[in-house]
Amino acid sequence: LFITMIMMATTLFTFGQTTINPDTVCVNAAGEQYFVTNTPTSTYQWTITGGGVLQTGQGSNSITVDWGGVSGLYPNAIEVIESNAANCPGTPILLDVFVLDLFGNAIGPFCEGDPTTPLVGNPAGGTWSGTGVVANAFQPSSAGVGNYVLTYSMAGCNTTINVIVNNGPVTGPIQHY
């Protein structure tokens, strides 16, 4: 009777999220990190175009980028070329980047009893939140008197608008002289 014992080694791997092409970042985003799988004997040459500025990491497998204030789609905004220990370059890896700038329509001021007003964000497709917001519309009557900050969100980016709801006058009773 032979007993065979097989020992299996367990190796733990850390997997990052694969970036969807194009990657979406907020206008003026700072400290955005990008990386490729590290090969310890390799060096990495990064090139950033389209409104981004490489801050840290040139030569390594991981970089930090600050993005500018001009929105739009930037084809091939990030490129990395890995060179192995023999100084042979690999195939360039490219990533498009969409810099997203959100805007919200200015509304108000309102009186407490005014009707519901639709909230419009640009580009369309985001979500509004804040006091008095129901289904992407502002309801002055449910918000009540006050100053409110409403937030429009999309793809991890946010913009805000300020809304004021004023109270009406308090008129006393009709009197007779």
Side-chain angles (χ1 to χ4, degrees):
L1 179 66
F2 293 101
I3 299 175
T4 305
M5 182 179 287
I6 299 173
M7 303 277 299
M8 296 181 69
T10 302
T11 304
L12 297 177
F13 294 97
T14 302
F15 292 100
Q17 179 180 355
T18 299
T19 302
I20 295 172
N21 197 2
D23 183 35
T24 300
V25 296
C26 305
V27 68
N28 295 316
E32 297 293 319
Q33 297 180 338
Y34 299 89
F35 67 94
V36 293
T37 303
N38 188 36
T39 302
T41 57
S42 290
T43 58
Y44 302 86
Q45 179 64 42
W46 295 87
T47 304
I48 309 300
T49 59
V53 177
L54 178 69
Q55 294 299 318
T56 62
Q58 186 62 272
S60 74
N61 74 306
S62 176
I63 60 168
T64 303
V65 177
D66 290 349
W67 292 100
V70 179
S71 64
L73 177 62
Y74 295 96
N76 303 328
I78 301 177
E79 176 185 63
V80 62
I81 298 174
E82 178 181 358
S83 294
N84 64 16
N87 206 25
C88 296
T91 303
I93 305 299
L94 302 166
L95 179 65
D96 301 337
V97 175
F98 182 75
V99 178
L100 179 61
D101 194 6
L102 299 179
F103 295 94
N105 64 316
I107 60 171
F110 295 99
C111 295
E112 194 171 12
D114 284 348
T116 298
T117 299
L119 295 164
V120 177
N122 187 15
T127 305
W128 285 93
S129 61
T131 302
V133 174
V134 176
N136 286 338
F138 182 69
Q139 297 180 338
S141 59
S142 67
V145 173
N147 297 325
Y148 302 100
V149 176
L150 307 183
T151 302
Y152 183 62
S153 303
M154 175 189 279
C157 300
N158 299 308
T159 191
T160 60
I161 62 171
N162 295 312
V163 179
I164 298 171
V165 178
N166 296 304
N167 60 354
V170 178
T171 305
I174 297 175
Q175 299 181 24
H176 179 115
Y177 291 102

